[in-house]
Amino acid sequence: MGNFRQTIFQSDKGYIIGLFKVKSTDIESMNNYVNKLITITGYFHELIENENYYFKGEEAFHPKYGFQFNVKEYERVKPEDKDGIVEFLSSDLFPGIGEKVATKIVETLGENTLDEILNDKNCLYLVPKLGSKKIDLIYDTLVKYEESHKMIVYLTELGFVMKDALLVYNTYKSHTIEIIENNIYSLIDDVDGINFIKIDNIAKKMNIESDSIERIKACIFYIMKDLTFKSGDIYLYLDDIYNK
């Protein structure tokens, strides 16, 4: 666990290289890095500077840049004390909400500020001189932030690696769970980089029947594409498809 400090590099597909201050670790070989800055790499939906996260991954040594920690899974540490909530609300995630406004919000709503806002944004009208535009901004941003985090966790728990989880979430957003539960094989056509093999392995974990019509259709198209690209033919015999 630690505090994300700075993004050094970020690709348009969510790959990030950044600086992270380690606060604690259960990896014995990393005890020497506690209270020190390290370089982290991995695929992330969003990382906010000066916010706390749990990272799971593995140590690596880059020949040019030295020690790095490759993140495979991550979880943000939701701020629970008043100071943490003030810091969160005054971060870049909430443009226009400075430390003074954030402090007023927390002083008014208490240590359960974030839950109170999510349950009913009208509670923000209790904060003196807080206009409707800022109230909408705070609520909408918080809802989207919570939603994206839950979706990424949901996808990684299904078995998607972080890179693929980001591709799926960025394609479907709030409809992610609905589409996956309706027909996970539709991801093959909708999401670049997601193929039949990846989806089929996850579908097995979801206990989807091996003879489901969605699986059979997806398999047929997968086999036809595979045979076509390998042979260069634009015509296939039924027996060839069936046997493959």
Side-chain angles (χ1 to χ4, degrees):
M1 188 189 85
N3 186 266
F4 180 67
R5 291 302 177 88
Q6 182 182 351
T7 298
I8 298 173
F9 168 81
Q10 182 171 1
S11 75
D12 56 0
K13 293 186 177 180
Y15 181 76
I16 289 178
I17 300 172
L19 297 178
F20 184 76
K21 185 171 184 179
V22 181
K23 291 187 176 181
S24 63
T25 179
D26 56 5
I27 302 174
E28 188 175 347
S29 57
M30 286 193 62
N31 285 332
N32 291 334
Y33 293 99
V34 174
N35 294 321
K36 294 181 180 178
L37 283 176
I38 64 170
T39 300
I40 57 98
T41 64
Y43 287 88
F44 303 87
H45 168 61
E46 187 173 44
L47 284 180
I48 298 174
E49 292 184 4
N50 298 315
E51 186 162 349
N52 295 326
Y53 292 90
Y54 291 112
F55 286 163
K56 294 181 181 179
E58 57 189 18
E59 301 168 73
F61 191 87
H62 192 282
K64 183 176 180 180
Y65 300 109
F67 176 83
Q68 297 181 340
F69 189 77
N70 295 336
V71 180
K72 305 297 183 183
E73 298 178 33
Y74 75 103
E75 181 180 346
R76 69 180 177 86
V77 181
K78 194 172 182 179
E80 295 180 349
D81 64 332
K82 290 185 176 181
D83 290 341
I85 299 171
V86 168
E87 188 175 352
F88 177 65
L89 290 174
S90 58
S91 70
D92 293 340
L93 187 65
F94 301 87
I97 308 299
E99 188 174 344
K100 288 184 179 179
V101 175
T103 301
K104 285 183 181 179
I105 293 172
V106 175
E107 286 176 349
T108 303
L109 301 179
E111 291 187 356
N112 294 321
T113 290
L114 301 181
D115 290 333
E116 293 283 346
I117 297 170
L118 286 168
N119 289 334
D120 182 9
K121 73 173 182 179
N122 291 321
C123 67
L124 287 167
Y125 284 102
L126 298 173
V127 181
K129 298 181 180 180
L130 190 64
S132 59
K133 287 186 178 180
K134 285 189 176 180
I135 288 174
D136 288 341
L137 168 69
I138 293 168
Y139 177 75
D140 292 343
T141 303
L142 194 56
V143 167
K144 288 177 182 176
Y145 189 62
E146 286 288 305
E147 174 194 272
S148 64
H149 175 69
K150 288 178 181 177
M151 293 293 182
I152 296 298
V153 170
Y154 167 79
L155 290 166
T156 54
E157 287 179 347
L158 281 181
F160 287 96
V161 298
M162 185 58 65
K163 180 180 179 181
D164 291 340
L166 293 176
L167 289 172
V168 174
Y169 175 72
N170 288 332
T171 300
Y172 297 128
K173 298 295 184 182
S174 61
H175 300 293
T176 298
I177 295 176
E178 173 191 348
I179 289 171
I180 286 177
E181 292 184 347
N182 182 54
N183 178 15
I184 190 171
Y185 289 96
S186 63
L187 274 64
I188 299 166
D189 293 325
D190 296 344
V191 185
D192 289 337
I194 302 293
N195 60 34
F196 176 80
I197 299 298
K198 287 181 181 180
I199 294 301
D200 204 40
N201 287 331
I202 292 172
K204 289 175 185 176
K205 297 176 185 176
M206 295 173 65
N207 296 318
I208 292 175
E209 296 293 335
S210 61
D211 62 350
S212 73
I213 190 65
E214 290 84 5
R215 181 174 188 263
I216 292 171
K217 284 181 178 179
C219 184
I220 291 170
F221 280 112
Y222 166 68
I223 294 302
M224 291 178 70
K225 287 180 180 178
D226 187 55
L227 287 172
T228 300
F229 286 129
K230 284 181 178 177
S231 67
D233 296 332
I234 58 171
Y235 181 91
L236 301 169
Y237 289 100
L238 178 60
D239 286 347
D240 292 336
I241 299 170
Y242 181 84
N243 292 332
K244 179 70 174 179

